[in-house]
Amino acid sequence: MLNPMSVMVLLEGEFRRLVLWGPVLLALGALAYFVWPYEPGYGAGLLLPACIAVVGLGACFYWRGSLAARLGGGAGVALAVGFAAAWLAAHRQPPMPELPRRATELTGIVQDVAYFPALSGQGGPVRRVTLAHGVLHDFVDDGMAPLRRSLSIRLAPQDEGSVAPGDGLRVRVVLQPPPFPALPGGRDKQFEAWFSGQAGGGYALAGAQVEPGQPQKLFGYQHALTMLRQRVDARIRQILPGSSGTVVATLLAGRAESVPQNVREDFAASGLAHLLAVAGLHLGIVMGAAMLVCRMGLAAWEYAALRWPCKAIAAGTAWVVGGGYVLLTGAHLPAERSWMMSSVVVLGLVVGRRAVSMRGLALAATIMLLVAPQVVLDVAFQMSMAAVMALVAGYEALQLRILRWVSGMSGAKHTLARHGVMLVLTSLLAGTATLPVVMAHFGVVQPFFVLANLVAVPLMALWIMPLGLVALVAMPLHVDAPFLHLMSGGVRVVLWLAHCVAGWPGARIAVPAMPGWGLAAVLLGLCWLCLWRGAWRWWGMPVVLLGTITPWLVTQPDILISPDGQLMGVKDVATLRVMGHARDERALKAAWAQALALPVSDFSGTGENRAETADGSLLCGESEVAGTCALLRYGQEVILRIHDPSDGRIPLPDDVCAQAAAVVSVAPLRVSCPHVPVRLDRFSAWRGGAQAVFLAHGVRVTSDRQKQGERLWVLKPGGHGMPTLPLAQAE
């Protein structure tokens, strides 16, 4: 049993590793703000963290000789800074505007044009434009200021007009705000839209037209980069139509939205999904190739080789090329993190210090958490940090042993053995560290990820990406077609590999939703395992294992209700029985199936015909009221009214509700079943969002509004935002 003195002795032995916990505490402070049950005001959001930070700094300076005081004070400062940074980041965002609930004319300036595959898999790609400075032209919004947030608009399929970034567009659209989560604790698209500057999306009802009176160009480097990405994407799609071309466009221009859904599923099931997300692997290959070419060129020049610091020059050149690649592919979060770490590596090479270390990762994480604290809840940030942390810690512990093991070999055998072991170790470390994160966000486990990566990663590093870089260099001269075709050949091999591995039995194992505290336990346990060096680092392993198995430790809901109250899902032994109809029915079913790890089947109970599940727990059509079902489970009876033509005006008979512990209706209950303890209808869903009903120990209801609380990014009931105000009249 450890006492405080022995703990301090252990901490003193890990003194140089204590700084690595700075970004972990920053992340915990930001997380504390995001899970706060209500929106903190200025006092709790800024004043209180400032006081804590001042007290912490004072403790560090006053008791500078005490390690305990410095640790406590430093931890308080980091937590307070993380909380305040998250509060400031959330309050810097413009409010979510109120969007019209009817068709309206919309004008705006095109920021980006993206091509998505058709939903049915048939026909050409679907174009979706991102509009900035949108203006709504109807009698309610007439004279309003332009929207401060962007809108994502799906153009009509028959619209074949040319649209480019910078064009002014006028189109008649139907708009929708960001949707509420499909179930309590589910993916929060309103949170994502709040921090990404989006107001919602919609679809065009007719062809769009370029507005002559609108400015035709967006000025600045962002427009130039957007136009460059569009031209690269268009060139690739012209030369390489088909699935391989969409993957090439993802690797060279960051246009991952055009990848077909079946290809995404194959890559996800085979553990190769990271190849479609431009991140550290791709940036490392690009910078490595640039550094190799520059270093060889300088070495071949005698004057430079004898007088210049060729290694530092090559590293700086690779850093610039890597930054250009990050911008060309859209500057996504994993790529930005990788480029920040590469900056530390380049600095280490220039000054002659150790290039790759855990301190570089900590510095990159600190910068990202201070600039955009919301990344703490982002799957890309969690996966990239977990993978790199596991790689650095794993190589710190195992690299010398591997080198000793291959030291007895010679020649080509030594090289092949060393690179083969390193490749297997890299795939194993990164894949194992990110496995719980994938479980939490995507609800799957891919057991064959190591085997697939053994072939795909070397092919990506030695064939696909180098040819892609040559193609980019040759593209302005229009001699890029041969290199793109050769690159496409390697991509087709990866596509074939992903499809084969995805078809193996057990390649994709569905797991239930992991609770938030389970994912937090996994990440904190992984930090404990990787950031320390002593034997007590292994104390983090039980915490990681506990967090990993939490999907099977928590109770699953028996009934799920959609945010609009129009769709119900009843969990059976091996199936989720879905009844009713909703506007976003397909997305809701997919989210429910992933959360419960169960297949979805429609259960008809809207007519007068009798319908019953195999175990008899769900029975429809038994009473004289059409569209009414009864669920009998754990000694509880729940009445489900899944169809009501009268919209609640005709009450349910008293004998139907006599023994019910709860009643759920797609229509307003009004005066129906007044004595039933739990009454859920369209109005309760309108007020509380999606709902989950648990029947194991009495009827317990959890709503999405209870999970989210009253926060800035949570829209008002019904998806309403802040009304836009008219511009002031000119005098």
Side-chain angles (χ1 to χ4, degrees), residues 557-589:
D558 297 282
I559 303 174
L560 290 173
I561 305 171
S562 65
D564 59 0
Q566 300 297 299
L567 198 69
M568 305 178 195
V570 178
K571 186 177 76 70
D572 207 341
V573 177
T575 310
L576 180 65
R577 310 285 184 176
V578 177
M579 298 169 287
H581 297 284
R583 183 179 61 184
D584 300 325
E585 185 171 332
R586 178 181 299 182
L588 289 170
K589 288 180 178 179

Side-chain angles (χ1 to χ4, degrees), residues 226-560:
T226 303
M227 291 299 298
L228 179 60
R229 295 182 66 203
Q230 289 287 335
R231 291 170 182 169
V232 172
D233 180 42
R235 177 66 175 173
I236 294 172
R237 286 189 290 105
Q238 177 186 359
I239 297 177
L240 301 175
S243 299
S244 62
T246 61
V247 176
V248 171
T250 300
L251 299 177
L252 299 185
R255 310 309 305 223
E257 64 274 355
S258 60
V259 178
Q261 185 62 29
N262 62 327
V263 174
R264 291 180 180 274
E265 293 176 355
D266 288 344
F267 273 69
S270 59
L272 299 177
H274 63 97
L275 298 183
L276 297 178
V278 177
L281 173 65
H282 308 77
L283 184 64
I285 296 172
V286 169
M287 294 184 63
M291 185 171 180
L292 177 64
V293 172
C294 182
R295 186 87 183 266
M296 291 180 62
L298 292 175
W301 183 13
E302 182 180 357
Y303 181 86
L306 294 176
R307 295 172 175 83
W308 292 356
C310 299
K311 184 178 180 180
I313 294 176
T317 303
W319 179 74
V320 173
V321 173
Y325 178 72
V326 170
L327 294 176
L328 180 61
T329 52
H332 301 295
L333 181 64
E336 291 180 354
R337 189 271 309 159
S338 303
W339 191 71
M340 288 182 187
M341 283 203 65
S342 70
S343 303
V344 180
V345 172
V346 170
L347 181 62
L349 291 174
V350 171
V351 301
R353 299 291 298 273
R354 185 179 177 184
V356 181
S357 67
M358 198 71 77
R359 289 177 178 250
L361 176 62
L363 179 59
T366 300
I367 295 174
M368 296 186 72
L369 288 169
L370 291 177
V371 174
Q374 66 272 13
V375 300
V376 71
L377 297 177
D378 188 84
V379 57
F381 177 81
Q382 295 172 5
M383 290 187 65
S384 61
M385 288 297 167
V388 177
M389 187 166 53
L391 288 173
V392 175
Y395 278 111
E396 284 180 352
L398 300 175
Q399 187 172 17
L400 293 179
R401 298 181 183 180
I402 295 173
L403 293 177
R404 283 198 300 266
W405 179 68
V406 300
S407 61
M409 305 176 186
S410 59
K413 186 177 180 181
H414 175 274
T415 303
L416 291 176
R418 181 174 179 270
H419 287 286
V421 172
M422 291 293 187
L423 180 60
V424 173
L425 183 61
T426 299
S427 299
L428 190 61
L429 289 172
T432 305
T434 56
L435 180 62
V437 184
V438 173
M439 289 173 54
H441 290 278
F442 305 108
V444 293
V445 173
Q446 305 104 351
F448 305 122
F449 65 89
V450 175
L451 298 178
N453 280 276
L454 286 179
V455 178
V457 172
L459 191 61
M460 181 70 67
L462 301 177
W463 182 264
I464 297 175
M465 287 303 298
L467 285 171
L469 293 176
V470 177
L472 287 176
V473 174
M475 199 168 287
L477 303 177
H478 292 280
V479 293
D480 54 327
F483 304 105
L484 288 176
H485 283 294
L486 290 173
M487 182 184 181
S488 177
V491 169
R492 284 195 293 269
V493 174
V494 176
L495 291 173
W496 172 83
L497 174 67
H499 183 71
C500 290
V501 175
W504 292 354
R508 186 183 178 94
I509 303 174
V511 298
M514 181 182 293
W517 63 270
L519 179 59
V522 167
L523 295 176
L524 288 175
L526 187 63
C527 290
W528 190 276
L529 184 63
C530 296
L531 297 185
W532 298 128
R533 281 186 171 176
W536 68 335
R537 70 190 307 174
W538 297 107
W539 295 358
M541 184 62 72
V543 180
V544 174
L545 295 178
L546 175 63
T548 304
I549 64 175
T550 50
W552 296 276
L553 299 180
V554 296
T555 304
Q556 291 187 341
D558 297 282
I559 303 174
L560 290 173

